[in-house]
Amino acid sequence: MRESSFDFSTTLGSAWFPAPVFTASGCASSGRELSQFFPLDEIGAVVTKSVMLKERLGRPTPRMAETPSGMLNSIGLQGPGIDAFLAKDVPWLVENKARVIVSIAGETVDEYGVLARRLRSVPGISAVEVNISCPNVDNRGLVFACDPESAKAVVESVRRTLAGDLPIIVKLSPDVTNIASIARVVVDAGADALALINTLLGMVINTDTMFPHLGGKTGGLSGPAIRPVAVRAIFQVHEALPKVPILGMGGVRTGRDAFEMILAGASGVSVGTASFGNPTALIDVQNELKQLLISKGFNSVQEAVGFAHRPSKANP
Ligand code: RRO
């Protein structure tokens, strides 16, 4: 397979992307910092930090902790609110030729509907990520992805509002017993694709002060430590719902890590925490992934999606 004839594009619902590597929501804000290191149109898309209806200051500091092979964050949905975001960030991304996936987060089912309505006629948006799995909320009842009825209500509200305007990608939490059953509920409610996985709820206690280290006490664990959890979740959901596109994420640092997620069933892969240590991680992952797919004999990304599910000699 020659590089020139290899098809590196991918789709999430009706949205098409020329490459399968994306930013992870929350790790690149609206892409301004990363644009100093590479042109944003070289990656699949920028997935923006989950935005709420109103400006939000987020949780008390400290908001970060290093952990073995990972990182704990407790940002708490800090952001400018949807109006400022649509006035400043989306136009800037469009000017910079980035493809844009806007991530939204609401405090109530209705708020998700209102946010979706604001996005309906905005030019330059490829898809909406509906984040129902932020771990950094003070009331665990607001982690909609951990309760099938709440998850269903949010997705139905966004689907009703958007009709067929924009593909809906729903971001799920790994902190559930059966992620495939939650996936099925949100797909039945109208999700076109799924983003797997958000961070895992964790905690670090400072053994000098003998108090929790983070201002918000708990935080979301990301980085290589969670990659096997993400691969497992992607594999289980692809097995249950093989036609539903998955945007995979969780500890991807190399092209081989991204390849592993594609083999598990992801149609695209987001790189998040790795960008903090290496601002060109997205480009490095993308280049390495392309070479790996070609060297394994694939003609396209699509051919490799879910390849680990084929029957083996040992397990036909
Ligand atoms: O803002 C956050 O603290 C946050 C969000 Br919205 C999320 O979805 N996942 C995460 O680890 N942190």
Side-chain angles (χ1 to χ4, degrees):
M1 161 64 36
R2 283 213 316 272
E3 191 164 337
S4 56
S5 54
F6 179 76
D7 180 3
F8 204 36
S9 70
T10 195
T11 53
L12 297 170
S14 58
W16 179 91
F17 304 92
V21 177
F22 300 70
T23 66
S25 174
C27 298
S29 190
S30 292
R32 281 187 169 78
E33 288 84 2
L34 286 187
S35 72
Q36 299 168 52
F37 298 94
F38 57 86
L40 295 177
D41 64 351
E42 286 188 5
I43 58 170
V46 173
V47 185
T48 56
K49 163 88 184 146
S50 300
V51 67
M52 301 193 81
L53 211 46
K54 297 265 153 49
E55 183 185 7
R56 187 167 165 117
L57 296 176
R59 281 181 142 183
T61 56
R63 291 173 166 187
M64 297 282 211
E66 270 192 57
T67 60
S69 296
M71 189 186 93
L72 213 53
N73 86 81
S74 178
I75 307 301
L77 287 148
Q78 182 186 346
I82 190 76
D83 291 336
F85 171 78
L86 290 179
K88 290 193 194 135
D89 294 307
V90 174
W92 182 86
L93 283 160
V94 172
E95 256 168 50
N96 282 272
K97 302 188 170 49
R99 285 156 295 275
V100 186
I101 298 178
V102 174
S103 180
I104 57 172
E107 278 188 85
T108 62
V109 169
D110 287 347
E111 234 178 81
Y112 279 95
V114 174
L115 284 159
R117 191 163 309 122
R118 299 281 171 92
L119 301 181
R120 270 178 68 171
S121 50
V122 178
I125 300 179
S126 296
V128 180
E129 179 189 88
V130 180
N131 184 0
I132 56 170
S133 49
C134 173
N136 297 327
V137 286
D138 294 327
N139 171 0
R140 288 297 292 167
L142 293 179
V143 186
F144 301 96
C146 295
D147 174 60
E149 283 308 309
S150 311
K152 177 173 183 246
V154 170
V155 179
E156 281 178 349
S157 159
V158 174
R159 176 86 280 166
R160 245 192 327 271
T161 312
L162 285 179
D165 291 352
L166 284 169
I168 298 171
I169 306 166
V170 179
K171 188 159 187 179
L172 298 185
S173 170
D175 291 337
V176 291
T177 309
N178 185 345
I179 195 162
S181 70
I182 302 273
R184 201 182 291 280
V185 166
V186 302
V187 168
D188 288 346
D192 299 293
L194 300 165
L196 305 174
I197 55 174
N198 209 318
T199 51
L200 283 81
L201 191 67
M203 181 185 268
V204 166
I205 293 180
N206 180 325
T207 48
D208 294 323
T209 65
M210 297 180 283
F211 285 115
H213 170 78
L214 294 169
K217 295 198 176 87
T218 55
L221 182 63
S222 62
I226 73 166
R227 205 177 73 241
V229 178
V231 171
R232 180 270 299 167
I234 294 164
F235 191 94
Q236 287 177 330
V237 171
H238 185 77
E239 191 164 54
L241 302 165
K243 295 205 174 96
V244 178
I246 296 171
L247 179 58
M249 70 211 65
V252 171
R253 251 188 331 187
T254 66
R256 197 167 283 276
D257 299 342
F259 183 50
E260 187 185 9
M261 286 196 178
I262 289 172
L263 294 173
S267 293
V269 176
S270 282
V271 177
T273 308
S275 296
F276 295 129
N278 171 17
T280 62
L282 276 124
I283 296 294
D284 300 346
V285 166
Q286 194 161 273
N287 291 340
E288 195 187 337
L289 172 64
K290 191 176 195 179
Q291 291 314 318
L292 203 47
L293 284 162
I294 292 169
S295 74
K296 293 284 185 190
F298 293 106
N299 297 298
S300 65
V301 175
Q302 193 49 45
E303 268 183 17
V305 174
F307 204 69
H309 291 260
R310 73 199 185 286
S312 68
K313 282 197 188 111
N315 192 11

